[in-house]
Amino acid sequence: MKAWRPPARYGMEPDMSKRVRAPQEPPPRSNRPRAVSELLPAIGGAAFRRFGFVQSAIVSRWPDIVGPRLSTASAPESIRFPQGEKQNGVLTLVVRGAHAPMMQHIAPEIIERVNRFFGYPAVARLQIRQGELPMAAPRRAAPPKPQPVPPEMGDGLRQIADPELRAVLESLAAGVAATRGLPKVS
């Protein structure tokens, strides 16, 4: 007796000559929490490459490369390399207003610092464009100092032996005392 075979659909015979491959195991997963900074280079990499940045680190580490004084007056915009090469590129900087002549004067030093950062002669020329710099994140103001603990709450807190717990509870009591009524629900 012949072994049963499923009927061919739509006039096609199943191809039995192909070897069946063993399923490949997926790479091991890491189920640990990761910092956003660990994920950011992978996410922003495509966007940075689109605008001419081989490494996003030149943008994020610009103050370290040129120093705090020059980084407040300039920002890297793009690096353009000759076709098929990854060296002797043109670094375009956006410079605020009247700082352009100073940047032009110290261009060889900036090129040297950028090449030292890359570790090879990545930049051969500097192109300066006057314009507005992207806004830096505003500095957060220090939180207001807590008001002293009201006397009616302070007596109960003085009996707590653990100084760290006492400090946290005093801070909580001061925060509660500083509020004015119930919170508003929007």
Side-chain angles (χ1 to χ4, degrees), residues 137-145:
R139 292 189 177 202
R140 292 178 30 187
K145 293 190 177 190

Side-chain angles (χ1 to χ4, degrees), residues 157-170:
L157 294 176
R158 288 191 183 96
Q159 297 171 359
I160 297 174
D162 185 16
E164 190 174 335
L165 178 61
R166 186 177 343 111
V168 170
L169 290 175
E170 284 176 355

Side-chain angles (χ1 to χ4, degrees), residues 58-76 93-96 102-103 106 110 113 133-134 136:
I58 192 169
V59 176
S60 60
R61 307 243 343 249
W62 186 246
D64 298 334
I65 295 171
V66 296
R69 197 178 96 227
L70 295 178
S71 68
T72 59
S74 65
L93 292 180
V94 177
V95 179
R96 187 180 308 136
M102 178 190 66
M103 293 299 232
I106 59 171
I110 294 172
R113 288 180 181 188
L133 298 180

Side-chain angles (χ1 to χ4, degrees), residues 90-141:
V90 177
L91 173 64
T92 304
L93 292 180
V94 177
V95 179
R96 187 180 308 136
H99 294 278
M102 178 190 66
M103 293 299 232
Q104 198 169 17
H105 181 69
I106 59 171
E109 184 180 340
I110 294 172
I111 292 171
E112 178 187 339
R113 288 180 181 188
V114 170
N115 288 339
R116 191 177 323 135
F117 173 76
F118 278 113
Y120 67 96
V123 176
R125 219 169 47 102
L126 192 67
Q127 185 176 10
I128 297 173
R129 183 179 71 80
Q130 287 184 335
E132 288 299 315
L133 298 180
M135 292 297 294
R139 292 189 177 202
R140 292 178 30 187

Side-chain angles (χ1 to χ4, degrees), residues 10 29 43 47 49 135 145 177:
Y10 307 109
R29 294 183 65 175
I43 294 169
R49 277 192 296 280
M135 292 297 294
K145 293 190 177 190

Side-chain angles (χ1 to χ4, degrees), residues 32-44 56 60:
R32 64 178 177 82
R34 294 188 283 178
V36 174
S37 62
E38 191 176 323
L39 301 171
L40 194 59
I43 294 169
S56 61
S60 60

